[in-house]
PDB file of all heavy atoms in Angstrom:
ATOM      1  N   VAL J   7     173.338  -0.575 -88.578  1.00 56.00           N
ATOM      2  CA  VAL J   7     172.882   0.385 -87.623  1.00 56.00           C
ATOM      3  C   VAL J   7     172.633   1.777 -88.280  1.00 56.00           C
ATOM      4  O   VAL J   7     171.529   2.310 -88.134  1.00 56.00           O
ATOM      5  CB  VAL J   7     173.879   0.526 -86.440  1.00 56.00           C
ATOM      6  CG1 VAL J   7     173.540   1.689 -85.544  1.00 56.00           C
ATOM      7  CG2 VAL J   7     173.863  -0.783 -85.649  1.00 56.00           C
ATOM      8  N   PRO J   8     173.573   2.333 -89.032  1.00 61.00           N
ATOM      9  CA  PRO J   8     173.253   3.592 -89.742  1.00 61.00           C
ATOM     10  C   PRO J   8     172.124   3.473 -90.693  1.00 61.00           C
ATOM     11  O   PRO J   8     171.326   4.401 -90.851  1.00 61.00           O
ATOM     12  CB  PRO J   8     174.566   3.961 -90.458  1.00 61.00           C
ATOM     13  CG  PRO J   8     175.639   3.196 -89.733  1.00 61.00           C
ATOM     14  CD  PRO J   8     174.998   1.978 -89.221  1.00 61.00           C
ATOM     15  N   THR J   9     171.998   2.364 -91.415  1.00 65.00           N
ATOM     16  CA  THR J   9     170.909   2.169 -92.350  1.00 65.00           C
ATOM     17  C   THR J   9     169.567   2.158 -91.601  1.00 65.00           C
ATOM     18  O   THR J   9     168.612   2.769 -92.064  1.00 65.00           O
ATOM     19  CB  THR J   9     171.128   0.855 -93.126  1.00 65.00           C
ATOM     20  OG1 THR J   9     172.375   0.916 -93.787  1.00 65.00           O
ATOM     21  CG2 THR J   9     170.002   0.660 -94.142  1.00 65.00           C
ATOM     22  N   ALA J  10     169.508   1.485 -90.501  1.00 61.00           N
ATOM     23  CA  ALA J  10     168.276   1.457 -89.720  1.00 61.00           C
ATOM     24  C   ALA J  10     167.937   2.864 -89.168  1.00 61.00           C
ATOM     25  O   ALA J  10     166.761   3.250 -89.223  1.00 61.00           O
ATOM     26  CB  ALA J  10     168.388   0.496 -88.551  1.00 61.00           C
ATOM     27  N   LEU J  11     168.930   3.592 -88.703  1.00 60.00           N
ATOM     28  CA  LEU J  11     168.708   4.963 -88.270  1.00 60.00           C
ATOM     29  C   LEU J  11     168.229   5.855 -89.383  1.00 60.00           C
ATOM     30  O   LEU J  11     167.318   6.686 -89.221  1.00 60.00           O
ATOM     31  CB  LEU J  11     169.965   5.551 -87.599  1.00 60.00           C
ATOM     32  CG  LEU J  11     170.349   4.945 -86.265  1.00 60.00           C
ATOM     33  CD1 LEU J  11     171.693   5.516 -85.806  1.00 60.00           C
ATOM     34  CD2 LEU J  11     169.306   5.241 -85.243  1.00 60.00           C
ATOM     35  N   THR J  12     168.803   5.689 -90.585  1.00 66.00           N
ATOM     36  CA  THR J  12     168.374   6.498 -91.733  1.00 66.00           C
ATOM     37  C   THR J  12     166.937   6.173 -92.096  1.00 66.00           C
ATOM     38  O   THR J  12     166.151   7.076 -92.330  1.00 66.00           O
ATOM     39  CB  THR J  12     169.293   6.221 -92.929  1.00 66.00           C
ATOM     40  OG1 THR J  12     170.649   6.526 -92.560  1.00 66.00           O
ATOM     41  CG2 THR J  12     168.895   7.007 -94.152  1.00 66.00           C
ATOM     42  N   LEU J  13     166.587   4.893 -92.115  1.00 61.00           N
ATOM     43  CA  LEU J  13     165.232   4.476 -92.367  1.00 61.00           C
ATOM     44  C   LEU J  13     164.251   5.034 -91.341  1.00 61.00           C
ATOM     45  O   LEU J  13     163.195   5.569 -91.658  1.00 61.00           O
ATOM     46  CB  LEU J  13     165.153   2.954 -92.439  1.00 61.00           C
ATOM     47  CG  LEU J  13     163.773   2.391 -92.755  1.00 61.00           C
ATOM     48  CD1 LEU J  13     163.293   2.853 -94.120  1.00 61.00           C
ATOM     49  CD2 LEU J  13     163.808   0.889 -92.709  1.00 61.00           C
ATOM     50  N   LEU J  14     164.616   4.945 -90.079  1.00 60.00           N
ATOM     51  CA  LEU J  14     163.786   5.420 -89.008  1.00 60.00           C
ATOM     52  C   LEU J  14     163.575   6.963 -89.112  1.00 60.00           C
ATOM     53  O   LEU J  14     162.474   7.452 -89.022  1.00 60.00           O
ATOM     54  CB  LEU J  14     164.364   5.089 -87.634  1.00 60.00           C
ATOM     55  CG  LEU J  14     163.567   5.562 -86.414  1.00 60.00           C
ATOM     56  CD1 LEU J  14     162.209   4.889 -86.415  1.00 60.00           C
ATOM     57  CD2 LEU J  14     164.329   5.268 -85.140  1.00 60.00           C
ATOM     58  N   THR J  15     164.672   7.666 -89.411  1.00 58.00           N
ATOM     59  CA  THR J  15     164.585   9.129 -89.617  1.00 58.00           C
ATOM     60  C   THR J  15     163.686   9.467 -90.784  1.00 58.00           C
ATOM     61  O   THR J  15     162.874  10.358 -90.686  1.00 58.00           O
ATOM     62  CB  THR J  15     165.982   9.690 -89.836  1.00 58.00           C
ATOM     63  OG1 THR J  15     166.806   9.373 -88.719  1.00 58.00           O
ATOM     64  CG2 THR J  15     165.938  11.204 -90.018  1.00 58.00           C
ATOM     65  N   ALA J  16     163.808   8.745 -91.896  1.00 58.00           N
ATOM     66  CA  ALA J  16     162.979   8.961 -93.047  1.00 58.00           C
ATOM     67  C   ALA J  16     161.517   8.750 -92.733  1.00 58.00           C
ATOM     68  O   ALA J  16     160.635   9.499 -93.193  1.00 58.00           O
ATOM     69  CB  ALA J  16     163.396   8.084 -94.243  1.00 58.00           C
ATOM     70  N   LEU J  17     161.200   7.688 -91.957  1.00 55.00           N
ATOM     71  CA  LEU J  17     159.820   7.443 -91.570  1.00 55.00           C
ATOM     72  C   LEU J  17     159.250   8.547 -90.719  1.00 55.00           C
ATOM     73  O   LEU J  17     158.114   8.984 -90.882  1.00 55.00           O
ATOM     74  CB  LEU J  17     159.703   6.097 -90.877  1.00 55.00           C
ATOM     75  CG  LEU J  17     159.869   4.864 -91.786  1.00 55.00           C
ATOM     76  CD1 LEU J  17     159.948   3.618 -90.931  1.00 55.00           C
ATOM     77  CD2 LEU J  17     158.829   4.758 -92.811  1.00 55.00           C
ATOM     78  N   VAL J  18     160.033   9.025 -89.767  1.00 57.00           N
ATOM     79  CA  VAL J  18     159.576  10.105 -88.877  1.00 57.00           C
ATOM     80  C   VAL J  18     159.373  11.380 -89.696  1.00 57.00           C
ATOM     81  O   VAL J  18     158.339  12.066 -89.525  1.00 57.00           O
ATOM     82  CB  VAL J  18     160.591  10.333 -87.740  1.00 57.00           C
ATOM     83  CG1 VAL J  18     160.284  11.631 -87.003  1.00 57.00           C
ATOM     84  CG2 VAL J  18     160.603   9.161 -86.796  1.00 57.00           C
ATOM     85  N   VAL J  19     160.308  11.712 -90.582  1.00 60.00           N
ATOM     86  CA  VAL J  19     160.175  12.907 -91.393  1.00 60.00           C
ATOM     87  C   VAL J  19     158.952  12.805 -92.276  1.00 60.00           C
ATOM     88  O   VAL J  19     158.168  13.756 -92.415  1.00 60.00           O
ATOM     89  CB  VAL J  19     161.454  13.166 -92.217  1.00 60.00           C
ATOM     90  CG1 VAL J  19     161.241  14.201 -93.314  1.00 60.00           C
ATOM     91  CG2 VAL J  19     162.605  13.583 -91.328  1.00 60.00           C
ATOM     92  N   ARG J  20     158.734  11.666 -92.861  1.00 60.00           N
ATOM     93  CA  ARG J  20     157.586  11.473 -93.753  1.00 60.00           C
ATOM     94  C   ARG J  20     156.273  11.658 -92.995  1.00 60.00           C
ATOM     95  O   ARG J  20     155.317  12.212 -93.548  1.00 60.00           O
ATOM     96  CB  ARG J  20     157.639  10.120 -94.397  1.00 60.00           C
ATOM     97  CG  ARG J  20     156.545   9.938 -95.411  1.00 60.00           C
ATOM     98  CD  ARG J  20     156.746   8.708 -96.238  1.00 60.00           C
ATOM     99  NE  ARG J  20     155.592   8.613 -97.128  1.00 60.00           N
ATOM    100  CZ  ARG J  20     155.666   8.194 -98.321  1.00 60.00           C
ATOM    101  NH1 ARG J  20     156.800   7.782 -98.819  1.00 60.00           N
ATOM    102  NH2 ARG J  20     154.588   8.133 -99.097  1.00 60.00           N
ATOM    103  N   ARG J  21     156.198  11.203 -91.777  1.00 67.00           N
ATOM    104  CA  ARG J  21     154.974  11.358 -90.966  1.00 67.00           C
ATOM    105  C   ARG J  21     154.781  12.777 -90.482  1.00 67.00           C
ATOM    106  O   ARG J  21     153.673  13.210 -90.265  1.00 67.00           O
ATOM    107  CB  ARG J  21     154.994  10.411 -89.778  1.00 67.00           C
ATOM    108  CG  ARG J  21     154.813   8.972 -90.140  1.00 67.00           C
ATOM    109  CD  ARG J  21     154.674   8.158 -88.886  1.00 67.00           C
ATOM    110  NE  ARG J  21     153.548   8.695 -88.110  1.00 67.00           N
ATOM    111  CZ  ARG J  21     152.514   7.983 -87.710  1.00 67.00           C
ATOM    112  NH1 ARG J  21     152.445   6.704 -88.030  1.00 67.00           N
ATOM    113  NH2 ARG J  21     151.536   8.496 -87.013  1.00 67.00           N
ATOM    114  N   ARG J  22     155.884  13.509 -90.305  1.00 76.00           N
ATOM    115  CA  ARG J  22     155.775  14.818 -89.687  1.00 76.00           C
ATOM    116  C   ARG J  22     155.887  15.974 -90.694  1.00 76.00           C
ATOM    117  O   ARG J  22     155.611  17.122 -90.352  1.00 76.00           O
ATOM    118  CB  ARG J  22     156.903  15.028 -88.655  1.00 76.00           C
ATOM    119  CG  ARG J  22     156.941  14.029 -87.546  1.00 76.00           C
ATOM    120  CD  ARG J  22     155.920  14.193 -86.497  1.00 76.00           C
ATOM    121  NE  ARG J  22     155.824  15.518 -86.013  1.00 76.00           N
ATOM    122  CZ  ARG J  22     154.837  15.993 -85.245  1.00 76.00           C
ATOM    123  NH1 ARG J  22     153.916  15.189 -84.882  1.00 76.00           N
ATOM    124  NH2 ARG J  22     154.784  17.219 -84.845  1.00 76.00           N
ATOM    125  N   CYS J  23     156.339  15.710 -91.933  1.00 83.00           N
ATOM    126  CA  CYS J  23     156.572  16.759 -92.913  1.00 83.00           C
ATOM    127  C   CYS J  23     155.753  16.601 -94.184  1.00 83.00           C
ATOM    128  O   CYS J  23     155.378  15.473 -94.512  1.00 83.00           O
ATOM    129  CB  CYS J  23     158.057  16.823 -93.286  1.00 83.00           C
ATOM    130  SG  CYS J  23     159.066  17.309 -91.866  1.00 83.00           S
ATOM    131  N   VAL J  24     155.523  17.736 -94.821  1.00 79.00           N
ATOM    132  CA  VAL J  24     154.783  17.744 -96.103  1.00 79.00           C
ATOM    133  C   VAL J  24     155.570  18.563 -97.078  1.00 79.00           C
ATOM    134  O   VAL J  24     156.069  19.648 -96.691  1.00 79.00           O
ATOM    135  CB  VAL J  24     153.388  18.408 -95.885  1.00 79.00           C
ATOM    136  CG1 VAL J  24     152.650  18.492 -97.213  1.00 79.00           C
ATOM    137  CG2 VAL J  24     152.589  17.660 -94.843  1.00 79.00           C
ATOM    138  N   LEU J  25     155.761  18.076 -98.290  1.00 84.00           N
ATOM    139  CA  LEU J  25     156.453  18.853 -99.325  1.00 84.00           C
ATOM    140  C   LEU J  25     155.364  19.235-100.339  1.00 84.00           C
ATOM    141  O   LEU J  25     154.610  18.382-100.804  1.00 84.00           O
ATOM    142  CB  LEU J  25     157.498  17.973 -99.996  1.00 84.00           C
ATOM    143  CG  LEU J  25     158.470  18.663-100.908  1.00 84.00           C
ATOM    144  CD1 LEU J  25     159.293  19.712-100.170  1.00 84.00           C
ATOM    145  CD2 LEU J  25     159.393  17.647-101.584  1.00 84.00           C
ATOM    146  N   LEU J  26     155.308  20.546-100.679  1.00 87.00           N
ATOM    147  CA  LEU J  26     154.252  21.006-101.598  1.00 87.00           C
ATOM    148  C   LEU J  26     154.762  22.071-102.527  1.00 87.00           C
ATOM    149  O   LEU J  26     155.767  22.755-102.201  1.00 87.00           O
ATOM    150  CB  LEU J  26     153.018  21.471-100.826  1.00 87.00           C
ATOM    151  CG  LEU J  26     153.197  22.691 -99.941  1.00 87.00           C
ATOM    152  CD1 LEU J  26     152.052  23.608-100.121  1.00 87.00           C
ATOM    153  CD2 LEU J  26     153.310  22.212 -98.505  1.00 87.00           C
ATOM    154  N   ASP J  27     154.110  22.257-103.655  1.00 89.00           N
ATOM    155  CA  ASP J  27     154.457  23.281-104.606  1.00 89.00           C
ATOM    156  C   ASP J  27     153.403  24.384-104.562  1.00 89.00           C
ATOM    157  O   ASP J  27     152.200  24.140-104.477  1.00 89.00           O
ATOM    158  CB  ASP J  27     154.457  22.667-106.030  1.00 89.00           C
ATOM    159  CG  ASP J  27     155.548  21.646-106.207  1.00 89.00           C
ATOM    160  OD1 ASP J  27     156.659  21.876-105.673  1.00 89.00           O
ATOM    161  OD2 ASP J  27     155.285  20.626-106.853  1.00 89.00           O
ATOM    162  N   VAL J  28     153.909  25.625-104.591  1.00 91.00           N
ATOM    163  CA  VAL J  28     153.023  26.780-104.610  1.00 91.00           C
ATOM    164  C   VAL J  28     152.439  26.943-106.009  1.00 91.00           C
ATOM    165  O   VAL J  28     153.154  26.862-107.009  1.00 91.00           O
ATOM    166  CB  VAL J  28     153.761  28.057-104.191  1.00 91.00           C
ATOM    167  CG1 VAL J  28     152.897  29.312-104.367  1.00 91.00           C
ATOM    168  CG2 VAL J  28     154.322  27.960-102.804  1.00 91.00           C
ATOM    169  N   SER J  29     151.144  27.180-106.089  1.00 90.00           N
ATOM    170  CA  SER J  29     150.500  27.425-107.340  1.00 90.00           C
ATOM    171  C   SER J  29     149.636  28.697-107.243  1.00 90.00           C
ATOM    172  O   SER J  29     148.745  28.756-106.433  1.00 90.00           O
ATOM    173  CB  SER J  29     149.586  26.226-107.691  1.00 90.00           C
ATOM    174  OG  SER J  29     148.874  26.474-108.876  1.00 90.00           O
ATOM    175  N   GLY J  30     150.020  29.691-108.008  1.00 91.00           N
ATOM    176  CA  GLY J  30     149.244  30.916-107.975  1.00 91.00           C
ATOM    177  C   GLY J  30     149.950  32.060-107.293  1.00 91.00           C
ATOM    178  O   GLY J  30     150.948  31.859-106.594  1.00 91.00           O
ATOM    179  N   PRO J  31     149.416  33.277-107.384  1.00 94.00           N
ATOM    180  CA  PRO J  31     150.057  34.476-106.887  1.00 94.00           C
ATOM    181  C   PRO J  31     149.608  34.948-105.500  1.00 94.00           C
ATOM    182  O   PRO J  31     149.994  36.028-105.037  1.00 94.00           O
ATOM    183  CB  PRO J  31     149.702  35.516-107.904  1.00 94.00           C
ATOM    184  CG  PRO J  31     148.316  35.123-108.331  1.00 94.00           C
ATOM    185  CD  PRO J  31     148.309  33.612-108.290  1.00 94.00           C
ATOM    186  N   SER J  32     148.767  34.158-104.802  1.00 93.00           N
ATOM    187  CA  SER J  32     148.158  34.660-103.531  1.00 93.00           C
ATOM    188  C   SER J  32     149.131  34.945-102.451  1.00 93.00           C
ATOM    189  O   SER J  32     148.812  35.698-101.515  1.00 93.00           O
ATOM    190  CB  SER J  32     147.064  33.711-103.059  1.00 93.00           C
ATOM    191  OG  SER J  32     147.614  32.536-102.546  1.00 93.00           O
ATOM    192  N   MET J  33     150.343  34.362-102.480  1.00 94.00           N
ATOM    193  CA  MET J  33     151.299  34.601-101.373  1.00 94.00           C
ATOM    194  C   MET J  33     152.480  35.465-101.827  1.00 94.00           C
ATOM    195  O   MET J  33     153.496  35.544-101.100  1.00 94.00           O
ATOM    196  CB  MET J  33     151.793  33.276-100.808  1.00 94.00           C
ATOM    197  CG  MET J  33     150.823  32.563 -99.927  1.00 94.00           C
ATOM    198  SD  MET J  33     150.286  33.532 -98.485  1.00 94.00           S
ATOM    199  CE  MET J  33     151.761  33.511 -97.479  1.00 94.00           C
ATOM    200  N   LEU J  34     152.353  36.131-102.995  1.00 94.00           N
ATOM    201  CA  LEU J  34     153.405  37.063-103.412  1.00 94.00           C
ATOM    202  C   LEU J  34     153.524  38.227-102.408  1.00 94.00           C
ATOM    203  O   LEU J  34     152.496  38.636-101.879  1.00 94.00           O
ATOM    204  CB  LEU J  34     153.083  37.624-104.797  1.00 94.00           C
ATOM    205  CG  LEU J  34     153.350  36.710-105.994  1.00 94.00           C
ATOM    206  CD1 LEU J  34     152.787  37.311-107.255  1.00 94.00           C
ATOM    207  CD2 LEU J  34     154.835  36.419-106.136  1.00 94.00           C
ATOM    208  N   PRO J  35     154.641  38.740-102.095  1.00 94.00           N
ATOM    209  CA  PRO J  35     155.953  38.426-102.638  1.00 94.00           C
ATOM    210  C   PRO J  35     156.683  37.333-101.841  1.00 94.00           C
ATOM    211  O   PRO J  35     157.835  36.986-102.180  1.00 94.00           O
ATOM    212  CB  PRO J  35     156.682  39.746-102.494  1.00 94.00           C
ATOM    213  CG  PRO J  35     156.100  40.354-101.251  1.00 94.00           C
ATOM    214  CD  PRO J  35     154.654  39.923-101.251  1.00 94.00           C
ATOM    215  N   THR J  36     156.080  36.797-100.792  1.00 93.00           N
ATOM    216  CA  THR J  36     156.752  35.822 -99.926  1.00 93.00           C
ATOM    217  C   THR J  36     157.070  34.567-100.687  1.00 93.00           C
ATOM    218  O   THR J  36     158.193  34.064-100.680  1.00 93.00           O
ATOM    219  CB  THR J  36     155.880  35.472 -98.699  1.00 93.00           C
ATOM    220  OG1 THR J  36     155.512  36.732 -98.084  1.00 93.00           O
ATOM    221  CG2 THR J  36     156.652  34.613 -97.718  1.00 93.00           C
ATOM    222  N   TYR J  37     156.074  33.993-101.364  1.00 93.00           N
ATOM    223  CA  TYR J  37     156.238  32.760-102.144  1.00 93.00           C
ATOM    224  C   TYR J  37     155.695  32.952-103.524  1.00 93.00           C
ATOM    225  O   TYR J  37     154.633  33.568-103.705  1.00 93.00           O
ATOM    226  CB  TYR J  37     155.574  31.567-101.446  1.00 93.00           C
ATOM    227  CG  TYR J  37     156.121  31.271-100.082  1.00 93.00           C
ATOM    228  CD1 TYR J  37     155.305  31.440 -98.954  1.00 93.00           C
ATOM    229  CD2 TYR J  37     157.435  30.905 -99.911  1.00 93.00           C
ATOM    230  CE1 TYR J  37     155.817  31.169 -97.684  1.00 93.00           C
ATOM    231  CE2 TYR J  37     157.951  30.656 -98.653  1.00 93.00           C
ATOM    232  CZ  TYR J  37     157.122  30.785 -97.554  1.00 93.00           C
ATOM    233  OH  TYR J  37     157.633  30.553 -96.332  1.00 93.00           O
ATOM    234  N   ARG J  38     156.432  32.454-104.520  1.00 93.00           N
ATOM    235  CA  ARG J  38     155.999  32.608-105.921  1.00 93.00           C
ATOM    236  C   ARG J  38     155.476  31.306-106.464  1.00 93.00           C
ATOM    237  O   ARG J  38     155.702  30.223-105.917  1.00 93.00           O
ATOM    238  CB  ARG J  38     157.215  33.015-106.791  1.00 93.00           C
ATOM    239  CG  ARG J  38     157.837  34.289-106.354  1.00 93.00           C
ATOM    240  CD  ARG J  38     158.995  34.669-107.276  1.00 93.00           C
ATOM    241  NE  ARG J  38     159.649  35.866-106.838  1.00 93.00           N
ATOM    242  CZ  ARG J  38     159.171  37.088-106.958  1.00 93.00           C
ATOM    243  NH1 ARG J  38     157.985  37.278-107.497  1.00 93.00           N
ATOM    244  NH2 ARG J  38     159.853  38.135-106.562  1.00 93.00           N
ATOM    245  N   ASP J  39     154.713  31.388-107.566  1.00 91.00           N
ATOM    246  CA  ASP J  39     154.196  30.248-108.269  1.00 91.00           C
ATOM    247  C   ASP J  39     155.355  29.327-108.649  1.00 91.00           C
ATOM    248  O   ASP J  39     156.350  29.808-109.219  1.00 91.00           O
ATOM    249  CB  ASP J  39     153.448  30.705-109.549  1.00 91.00           C
ATOM    250  CG  ASP J  39     152.674  29.603-110.222  1.00 91.00           C
ATOM    251  OD1 ASP J  39     152.285  28.627-109.544  1.00 91.00           O
ATOM    252  OD2 ASP J  39     152.401  29.775-111.409  1.00 91.00           O
ATOM    253  N   GLY J  40     155.280  28.086-108.262  1.00 89.00           N
ATOM    254  CA  GLY J  40     156.357  27.072-108.537  1.00 89.00           C
ATOM    255  C   GLY J  40     157.309  26.864-107.424  1.00 89.00           C
ATOM    256  O   GLY J  40     158.121  25.958-107.472  1.00 89.00           O
ATOM    257  N   ASP J  41     157.290  27.714-106.406  1.00 93.00           N
ATOM    258  CA  ASP J  41     158.179  27.490-105.220  1.00 93.00           C
ATOM    259  C   ASP J  41     157.783  26.164-104.563  1.00 93.00           C
ATOM    260  O   ASP J  41     156.626  25.809-104.519  1.00 93.00           O
ATOM    261  CB  ASP J  41     158.052  28.594-104.205  1.00 93.00           C
ATOM    262  CG  ASP J  41     158.813  29.842-104.528  1.00 93.00           C
ATOM    263  OD1 ASP J  41     159.630  29.832-105.493  1.00 93.00           O
ATOM    264  OD2 ASP J  41     158.632  30.866-103.841  1.00 93.00           O
ATOM    265  N   ARG J  42     158.784  25.449-104.070  1.00 92.00           N
ATOM    266  CA  ARG J  42     158.552  24.213-103.317  1.00 92.00           C
ATOM    267  C   ARG J  42     158.788  24.515-101.839  1.00 92.00           C
ATOM    268  O   ARG J  42     159.795  25.064-101.458  1.00 92.00           O
ATOM    269  CB  ARG J  42     159.465  23.104-103.795  1.00 92.00           C
ATOM    270  CG  ARG J  42     159.247  21.826-103.073  1.00 92.00           C
ATOM    271  CD  ARG J  42     159.804  20.661-103.827  1.00 92.00           C
ATOM    272  NE  ARG J  42     158.855  20.357-104.893  1.00 92.00           N
ATOM    273  CZ  ARG J  42     158.982  19.350-105.740  1.00 92.00           C
ATOM    274  NH1 ARG J  42     160.013  18.603-105.665  1.00 92.00           N
ATOM    275  NH2 ARG J  42     158.048  19.114-106.633  1.00 92.00           N
ATOM    276  N   LEU J  43     157.797  24.146-101.003  1.00 92.00           N
ATOM    277  CA  LEU J  43     157.870  24.417 -99.568  1.00 92.00           C
ATOM    278  C   LEU J  43     157.878  23.141 -98.748  1.00 92.00           C
ATOM    279  O   LEU J  43     157.242  22.142 -99.092  1.00 92.00           O
ATOM    280  CB  LEU J  43     156.631  25.265 -99.141  1.00 92.00           C
ATOM    281  CG  LEU J  43     156.375  26.537 -99.915  1.00 92.00           C
ATOM    282  CD1 LEU J  43     155.107  27.179 -99.411  1.00 92.00           C
ATOM    283  CD2 LEU J  43     157.559  27.502 -99.800  1.00 92.00           C
ATOM    284  N   LEU J  44     158.593  23.198 -97.630  1.00 88.00           N
ATOM    285  CA  LEU J  44     158.606  22.111 -96.676  1.00 88.00           C
ATOM    286  C   LEU J  44     157.781  22.576 -95.472  1.00 88.00           C
ATOM    287  O   LEU J  44     158.043  23.639 -94.890  1.00 88.00           O
ATOM    288  CB  LEU J  44     160.038  21.785 -96.224  1.00 88.00           C
ATOM    289  CG  LEU J  44     160.173  20.685 -95.201  1.00 88.00           C
ATOM    290  CD1 LEU J  44     159.708  19.348 -95.779  1.00 88.00           C
ATOM    291  CD2 LEU J  44     161.605  20.572 -94.669  1.00 88.00           C
ATOM    292  N   ALA J  45     156.770  21.831 -95.103  1.00 91.00           N
ATOM    293  CA  ALA J  45     155.915  22.162 -93.962  1.00 91.00           C
ATOM    294  C   ALA J  45     155.933  20.997 -92.979  1.00 91.00           C
ATOM    295  O   ALA J  45     156.106  19.858 -93.379  1.00 91.00           O
ATOM    296  CB  ALA J  45     154.484  22.425 -94.431  1.00 91.00           C
ATOM    297  N   ALA J  46     155.781  21.305 -91.712  1.00 91.00           N
ATOM    298  CA  ALA J  46     155.808  20.285 -90.678  1.00 91.00           C
ATOM    299  C   ALA J  46     154.467  20.283 -89.942  1.00 91.00           C
ATOM    300  O   ALA J  46     153.879  21.348 -89.693  1.00 91.00           O
ATOM    301  CB  ALA J  46     156.922  20.562 -89.665  1.00 91.00           C
ATOM    302  N   ARG J  47     154.008  19.088 -89.651  1.00 88.00           N
ATOM    303  CA  ARG J  47     152.800  18.935 -88.796  1.00 88.00           C
ATOM    304  C   ARG J  47     153.214  19.244 -87.391  1.00 88.00           C
ATOM    305  O   ARG J  47     154.136  18.600 -86.844  1.00 88.00           O
ATOM    306  CB  ARG J  47     152.271  17.504 -88.927  1.00 88.00           C
ATOM    307  CG  ARG J  47     151.761  17.240 -90.338  1.00 88.00           C
ATOM    308  CD  ARG J  47     151.277  15.772 -90.451  1.00 88.00           C
ATOM    309  NE  ARG J  47     150.752  15.562 -91.752  1.00 88.00           N
ATOM    310  CZ  ARG J  47     151.398  14.914 -92.741  1.00 88.00           C
ATOM    311  NH1 ARG J  47     152.621  14.462 -92.555  1.00 88.00           N
ATOM    312  NH2 ARG J  47     150.843  14.734 -93.956  1.00 88.00           N
ATOM    313  N   VAL J  48     152.600  20.228 -86.779  1.00 85.00           N
ATOM    314  CA  VAL J  48     152.955  20.646 -85.438  1.00 85.00           C
ATOM    315  C   VAL J  48     151.705  20.729 -84.567  1.00 85.00           C
ATOM    316  O   VAL J  48     150.605  20.837 -85.089  1.00 85.00           O
ATOM    317  CB  VAL J  48     153.660  22.041 -85.426  1.00 85.00           C
ATOM    318  CG1 VAL J  48     154.943  22.015 -86.205  1.00 85.00           C
ATOM    319  CG2 VAL J  48     152.745  23.111 -85.970  1.00 85.00           C
ATOM    320  N   PRO J  49     151.891  20.662 -83.246  1.00 85.00           N
ATOM    321  CA  PRO J  49     150.741  20.826 -82.386  1.00 85.00           C
ATOM    322  C   PRO J  49     150.136  22.221 -82.500  1.00 85.00           C
ATOM    323  O   PRO J  49     150.854  23.210 -82.811  1.00 85.00           O
ATOM    324  CB  PRO J  49     151.341  20.695 -80.981  1.00 85.00           C
ATOM    325  CG  PRO J  49     152.656  20.050 -81.159  1.00 85.00           C
ATOM    326  CD  PRO J  49     153.137  20.386 -82.543  1.00 85.00           C
ATOM    327  N   LEU J  50     148.841  22.324 -82.388  1.00 82.00           N
ATOM    328  CA  LEU J  50     148.132  23.614 -82.584  1.00 82.00           C
ATOM    329  C   LEU J  50     148.654  24.677 -81.644  1.00 82.00           C
ATOM    330  O   LEU J  50     148.632  25.867 -81.995  1.00 82.00           O
ATOM    331  CB  LEU J  50     146.657  23.389 -82.368  1.00 82.00           C
ATOM    332  CG  LEU J  50     145.994  22.471 -83.412  1.00 82.00           C
ATOM    333  CD1 LEU J  50     144.566  22.174 -83.032  1.00 82.00           C
ATOM    334  CD2 LEU J  50     146.081  23.091 -84.774  1.00 82.00           C
TER     335      LEU J  50
END
């Protein structure tokens, strides 16, 4: 049961979230080159 819940949670997170790395200085000082960000797909 916990394994199935973990797998289900992982699948939901994978469909709803994006992990990405910042490249470049365009978002300084908020985010730096090399920062890793977690983003979620959300309704507009």
Side-chain angles (χ1 to χ4, degrees):
V7 171
T9 303
L11 288 175
T12 302
L13 180 61
L14 180 62
T15 302
L17 289 172
V18 168
V19 167
R20 185 170 178 143
R21 287 187 58 124
R22 303 284 312 168
C23 294
V24 178
L25 191 63
L26 63 137
D27 295 320
V28 174
S29 176
S32 72
M33 284 301 289
L34 283 172
T36 309
Y37 300 115
R38 300 183 184 285
D39 191 22
D41 281 351
R42 180 161 281 183
L43 306 177
L44 180 66
R47 294 177 177 102
V48 298
L50 295 172

